[in-house]
Amino acid sequence: SAEIARQYQIIKDKKQNISIDYAVMEKEAANMELLPAPTALEWNDVGGWIALRKYYPADAQNNLVLNYAREKIEISGLRDLLVVNTENGILLCPQDQAQRAKEIIAGLEKKLTAETIDCRNVIIENLTARYIGVIGLTGIKVNYRAGRLEIKKL
C-alpha cells in the first residue's frame, strides 16, 4: 500500500539498517488483510553473498564469482574466494568472511579506488577509478583494467 511504501521510505531516508519485514510489515500487520494463495514457489531467505551459491555455482576451485558487471574475470591459484563484481565496485574476500562485506562501504562512500582490510601482502593495480575492496586475504595480486579483472596468488 502507499502507507507501507511511505514508511519504508522514511526508514531508508534515516539510513537505518533494518529489514522491511521488521520495520514496516510487523507494525502494519493489524491494518492488513493477508490471504493465502496456493503456489509452488520456493522460499530462500538470501541473507548474504554465500546464500547466492544456490543460483551461482562455484568454479572448480570452489571460488564463488558474482559477475554483475559482466567483465572477464580470471582467478589463478586461489580457492574458496568470493568475488563480487558490480558497476559500483569489486569485493574480494574469503567466502568464510563474506559477512564482513559491509566494512568496505566506507571506502565506496569516500570514493576510494582501492582499500584493504585485514590483508597482508596484497598488491592492487587498479587502472580505473572503480573501487576495489579486499578483505582478509594474504599474498595476492589484483589487476583491474576496464573490462578485465585478474586475481592471482603471489
Side-chain angles (χ1 to χ4, degrees), residues 8 10 27 29-30 45-47 49 51 53 72 74-75 84 89 117-120 135 141 146:
Y8 188 60
I10 290 169
K27 292 177 180 156
D45 189 3
V46 180
W49 292 113
R53 173 173 241 134
K72 182 164 175 59
E74 276 183 38
I75 303 171
V84 181
I117 299 172
D118 294 337
C119 293
R120 289 191 328 260
I135 300 172
K141 180 177 181 180

Side-chain angles (χ1 to χ4, degrees), residues 42 44-68 75 78-84 93-98:
E42 178 182 333
N44 186 358
D45 189 3
V46 180
W49 292 113
I50 299 305
L52 292 174
R53 173 173 241 134
K54 181 174 182 174
Y55 306 102
Y56 297 90
D59 67 13
Q61 289 73 42
N62 199 40
N63 296 311
L64 180 57
V65 178
L66 307 173
N67 190 6
Y68 300 108
I75 303 171
L78 295 160
R79 296 189 53 77
D80 305 319
L81 185 67
L82 170 64
V83 179
V84 181
C93 68
Q95 289 181 31
D96 63 0
Q97 295 188 37

Side-chain angles (χ1 to χ4, degrees), residues 13-67:
D13 291 345
K14 291 180 180 177
K15 297 189 180 201
Q16 293 177 336
N17 188 9
I18 189 168
S19 66
I20 188 169
D21 56 335
Y22 177 75
V24 177
M25 302 303 281
E26 287 184 12
K27 292 177 180 156
E28 287 296 313
N31 300 325
M32 299 170 69
E33 182 178 351
L34 301 176
L35 302 172
T39 182
L41 294 176
E42 178 182 333
W43 174 255
N44 186 358
D45 189 3
V46 180
W49 292 113
I50 299 305
L52 292 174
R53 173 173 241 134
K54 181 174 182 174
Y55 306 102
Y56 297 90
D59 67 13
Q61 289 73 42
N62 199 40
N63 296 311
L64 180 57
V65 178
L66 307 173
N67 190 6

Side-chain angles (χ1 to χ4, degrees), residues 90 107 110-115 124 126 128-133:
I90 299 166
K110 293 178 187 173
K111 305 287 189 222
L112 300 177
T113 56
E115 178 179 26
I124 299 175
N126 186 358
T128 72
R130 188 131 155 254
Y131 177 77
I132 300 174

